[in-house]
Amino acid sequence: MKSTLLLRHLSVENANAISGLTYGFPAISHFLGFTHALSRRLEQAYGLTLGGCAVIAHHTELQSQPLGNRREQVFALTRNPLTKEGKTAPFNEEGRVHLDISLLIECNFDADRLPKGESLDLRIHELHAWFERIVPSLRLAGGTITRLGQVQWREHYEERERRRLCMSLLPGFALVCRHDLLTAHHQQQLSEEPDAELLDSLLDFVTLCHQSQQDEAGAVSWQPLDKPAPGYLVPLAVGYQGISPLHEPGSIPSSRDQTTPFRFVESIYTVGQWVSLHRVQNLDTLLWRYRYQEPYYLCENHYIAPSLSVEEDDEEFIS
């Protein structure tokens, strides 16, 4: 990672909140797609490119409402105009969410390749002005960017500067991959039940389970069961798996792009975790990057959980 670009407090309205079987937050592929689109424009303007992307959420507002007196939620949908026959027009259900996020983007260039200028400060200022002009013109997860708080490009962070950066992004949680927890739990399930499915192990992190307990007086109470691992864990769509051969461009009727090879795919899911920024010890472990390995098209993250205890970790950042 030669340098980093921080887009602080991006406000996004009506972003896509549905990703495969999951909902509540856009898929990681949306943010990498945004970074890729921004990188293509940067390359056209200055010959520079961007790499991976870290996602930090400060606030989310899911556009949903309760269904009656139950805990079930339904999406708040828009009312579309009637058809020519005066009937309700058919539509696909859309889940929308308002976001306040920050993006930490990997840059594949250093200060020597910045736009030409009289001084380094002026060259950095020109780069900042370009991002401030281009970023609001793009879409993020199908949503509209309504505000960009600050643009900050930096070549490297010393330890004290890294800690100051993480603390300045609070309150905020970074979304990382915890496939290691899913793998460990599934291996334990296999040792107890050889026919256990990986999907069942994933659902153990998602479902809310309760177990009845009866006291000496015969009264029954329901107690929640612990998840397989502690932490703010969520199901996460991290890419696609090919389920068909790669077809020649234009050979599949009604495909969106007739000039690109076509393939049928299905979503890949794993376990993700929202990590508070004051726990982060290495910015590189927050970055998501593309990886292709036949037949997988993945968004990959190599997060490493800190080995410090809660008390030790708190002391480190308080000092």
Side-chain angles (χ1 to χ4, degrees):
M1 186 167 58
K2 297 182 178 180
S3 59
T4 56
L5 171 71
L6 176 63
L7 303 179
R8 191 188 296 267
H9 285 286
L10 276 170
S11 294
V12 186
E13 288 188 355
N14 295 325
N16 180 24
I18 301 177
S19 177
L21 301 177
T22 66
Y23 81 97
F25 196 80
I28 288 296
S29 56
H30 285 298
F31 300 100
L32 287 180
F34 170 82
T35 304
H36 180 66
L38 187 61
S39 178
R40 293 182 64 178
R41 286 162 175 78
L42 182 63
E43 186 174 15
Q44 292 175 358
Y46 298 111
L48 308 176
T49 59
L50 305 176
C53 175
V55 182
I56 298 100
H58 305 288
H59 177 73
T60 63
E61 185 179 346
L62 184 64
Q63 301 301 289
S64 65
Q65 56 191 14
L67 183 61
N69 295 325
R70 295 180 293 177
R71 295 182 179 179
E72 183 179 357
Q73 294 278 323
V74 295
F75 289 119
L77 304 176
T78 57
R79 177 67 175 180
N80 298 324
L82 300 178
T83 62
K84 296 179 180 180
E85 295 77 17
K87 299 180 180 179
T88 302
F91 67 96
N92 292 326
E93 186 177 38
E94 295 180 351
R96 296 175 291 114
V97 61
H98 299 336
L99 303 173
D100 179 12
I101 60 173
S102 294
L103 299 181
L104 183 67
I105 300 176
E106 177 185 26
C107 299
N108 300 324
F109 55 89
D110 52 23
D112 295 334
R113 297 188 58 192
L114 289 179
K116 301 301 181 182
E118 297 180 359
S119 65
L120 179 59
D121 291 339
L122 290 177
R123 295 158 68 188
I124 295 177
H125 177 74
E126 180 182 348
L127 186 68
H128 286 179
W130 185 88
F131 282 114
E132 291 172 354
R133 183 174 68 255
I134 297 300
V135 168
S137 67
L138 302 179
R139 307 277 285 192
L140 177 55
T144 303
I145 298 176
T146 59
R147 184 177 69 89
L148 171 58
Q150 182 187 22
V151 177
Q152 180 182 349
W153 179 87
R154 198 177 188 93
E155 193 164 13
H156 59 83
Y157 285 92
E158 301 294 341
E159 177 62 20
R160 182 175 295 274
E161 295 169 338
R162 178 196 62 78
R163 293 170 58 184
R164 185 178 296 112
L165 169 67
C166 292
M167 299 301 285
S168 69
L169 290 172
L170 294 175
F173 293 84
L175 184 57
V176 298
C177 180
R178 296 308 309 270
H179 189 69
D180 57 320
L181 297 179
L182 176 60
T183 300
H185 176 62
H186 185 58
Q187 292 300 323
Q188 180 181 356
Q189 293 296 96
L190 289 176
S191 64
E192 300 173 358
E193 185 179 351
D195 296 332
E197 296 286 343
L198 185 57
L199 178 60
D200 295 327
S201 298
L202 175 62
L203 292 177
D204 289 341
F205 288 89
V206 179
T207 54
L208 299 177
C209 299
H210 292 74
Q211 187 176 40
S212 62
Q213 292 184 358
Q214 188 174 18
D215 58 19
E216 298 178 355
V220 176
S221 61
W222 290 88
Q223 303 297 327
L225 297 179
D226 294 335
K227 297 294 184 66
Y232 191 174
L233 303 173
V234 293
L236 190 62
V238 292
Y240 305 93
Q241 176 181 353
I243 57 175
S244 76
L246 194 63
H247 299 281
E248 293 296 327
S251 60
I252 303 299
S254 302
S255 61
R256 184 173 300 179
D257 188 348
Q258 295 292 316
T259 62
T260 304
F262 184 91
R263 188 175 221 175
F264 292 95
V265 298
E266 61 182 6
S267 296
I268 297 177
Y269 302 93
T270 187
V271 173
Q273 183 176 9
W274 290 105
V275 179
S276 180
L277 265 296
H278 78 284
R279 304 286 187 191
V280 175
Q281 298 180 350
N282 186 350
L283 295 179
D284 190 68
T285 62
L286 300 181
L287 294 175
W288 291 86
R289 299 181 177 93
Y290 286 124
R291 182 170 73 90
Y292 167 70
Q293 180 180 350
E294 177 67 26
Y296 302 105
Y297 304 84
L298 295 174
C299 302
E300 195 173 52
N301 166 257
H302 296 289
Y303 175 75
I304 301 176
S307 58
L308 297 177
S309 66
V310 175
E311 293 78 8
E312 292 172 332
D313 196 42
D314 288 341
E315 291 176 358
E316 177 193 2
F317 286 96
I318 292 174
S319 61

